[in-house]
Amino acid sequence: GEDGARTSDLALGYGTQGESDIYYLTWGGGLKDGDFGLGAGVFDQSVGNLAGSGLDIDFSYLGIGYGRGMGDKDMAWGVSVVRINLELGYAGEELSGNEVTFDAGLTGTLPGSMPMRYGLVMRDVTDEIARTWDIGVSVKPKETLTVGLDVKDLTDETDMRWQIGARQVLGKDGKWQVGAGLNDGDLSLGAIYAPGTEWQGAKWRYGLAWQDTDGDSALILGVTGAWGK
């Protein structure tokens, strides 16, 4: 591409989980030949009349972040700030609160016959709520197959959880991807379709994910557009 050409990704989605609605919108971008990137995202999940109790809950967050490569090394670091908001409503009374937290992370590749990607994140660096550590690794046994493992809250400050999964690209043209995994023992399934066509200057992908969550289930639909790629 031309020097200074910009790239960006925009993703939006909607989902349901029991009595709750889930919405998200994320954006990330940078220079095609640059070594830094910016990102932002919003997420909202609302639950009406929780388990018939009359309690309404709305949880949301807004985050912005910055990441940068580390010279000619296959490593990068990033920082983000997140505003978390919680609103409760019951019998006409409302209660709300919010908190601002900071996260920092590092990612890179370990060389070898099967290179391993890794990532380490410190959440809530200033310990406003609870400082936790997340770690993840992924490998590609073959070009079309990716296998990954994540551990959330590594030191079990609040609730340690593990996630393991795999993603397979299908077909010669690679338009389809399917994935499966376990989120702390709960099964997740997903599929992505990338037709390769352009609209408004972007290449679009469409995804569907399902997760069994402790006896309940979540279904999420998403679409992603990529510009300059």
Side-chain angles (χ1 to χ4, degrees):
E2 298 179 358
D3 291 343
R6 291 186 294 270
T7 67
S8 62
D9 292 90
L10 179 70
L12 63 156
Y14 167 76
T16 62
Q17 180 180 356
E19 300 298 323
S20 70
D21 295 308
I22 302 168
Y23 303 89
Y24 70 84
L25 174 66
T26 65
W27 172 87
L31 296 178
K32 182 176 290 187
D33 299 321
D35 61 352
F36 73 94
L38 300 172
V42 294
F43 172 90
D44 184 273
Q45 182 170 9
S46 58
V47 183
N49 191 23
L50 178 65
S53 65
L55 177 65
D56 298 328
I57 301 175
D58 186 84
F59 169 78
S60 62
Y61 70 74
L62 168 65
I64 57 174
Y66 173 83
R68 193 173 189 89
M70 300 175 64
D72 58 355
K73 299 179 181 179
D74 192 8
M75 298 178 65
W77 59 267
V79 293
S80 64
V81 57
V82 180
R83 183 182 186 273
I84 303 170
N85 187 71
L86 178 65
E87 298 180 359
L88 305 176
Y90 183 76
E93 300 292 331
E94 294 186 355
L95 177 66
S96 64
N98 61 78
E99 195 68 70
V100 175
T101 66
F102 297 88
D103 302 339
L106 179 71
T107 184
T109 302
L110 298 176
S113 58
M114 187 185 299
M116 176 183 293
R117 294 288 300 175
Y118 67 87
L120 179 66
V121 178
M122 180 195 299
R123 302 197 184 277
D124 193 6
V125 174
T126 56
D127 203 18
E128 298 298 322
I129 302 174
R131 184 187 299 120
T132 60
W133 293 84
D134 298 347
I135 188 170
V137 296
S138 69
V139 295
K140 297 185 72 170
K142 59 180 183 178
E143 186 61 29
T144 59
L145 176 64
T146 303
V147 180
L149 171 67
D150 294 327
V151 180
K152 307 289 187 180
D153 190 6
L154 185 63
T155 57
D156 200 19
E157 296 297 321
T158 57
D159 182 24
M160 184 174 70
R161 294 179 293 112
W162 59 271
Q163 300 168 330
I164 186 171
R167 183 180 72 246
Q168 174 70 52
V169 179
L170 301 177
K172 294 181 179 180
D173 53 10
K175 291 183 177 181
W176 284 95
Q177 298 179 41
V178 294
L182 294 173
N183 179 13
D184 212 28
D186 293 328
L187 178 64
S188 297
L189 301 172
I192 295 174
Y193 176 59
T197 55
E198 291 192 13
W199 181 69
Q200 297 296 316
K203 294 182 179 179
W204 296 88
R205 299 188 303 166
Y206 310 92
L208 173 66
W210 173 88
Q211 181 180 351
D212 179 27
T213 53
D214 295 327
D216 207 344
S217 62
L219 185 66
I220 299 177
L221 299 168
V223 59
T224 302
W227 286 260
K229 296 183 177 181

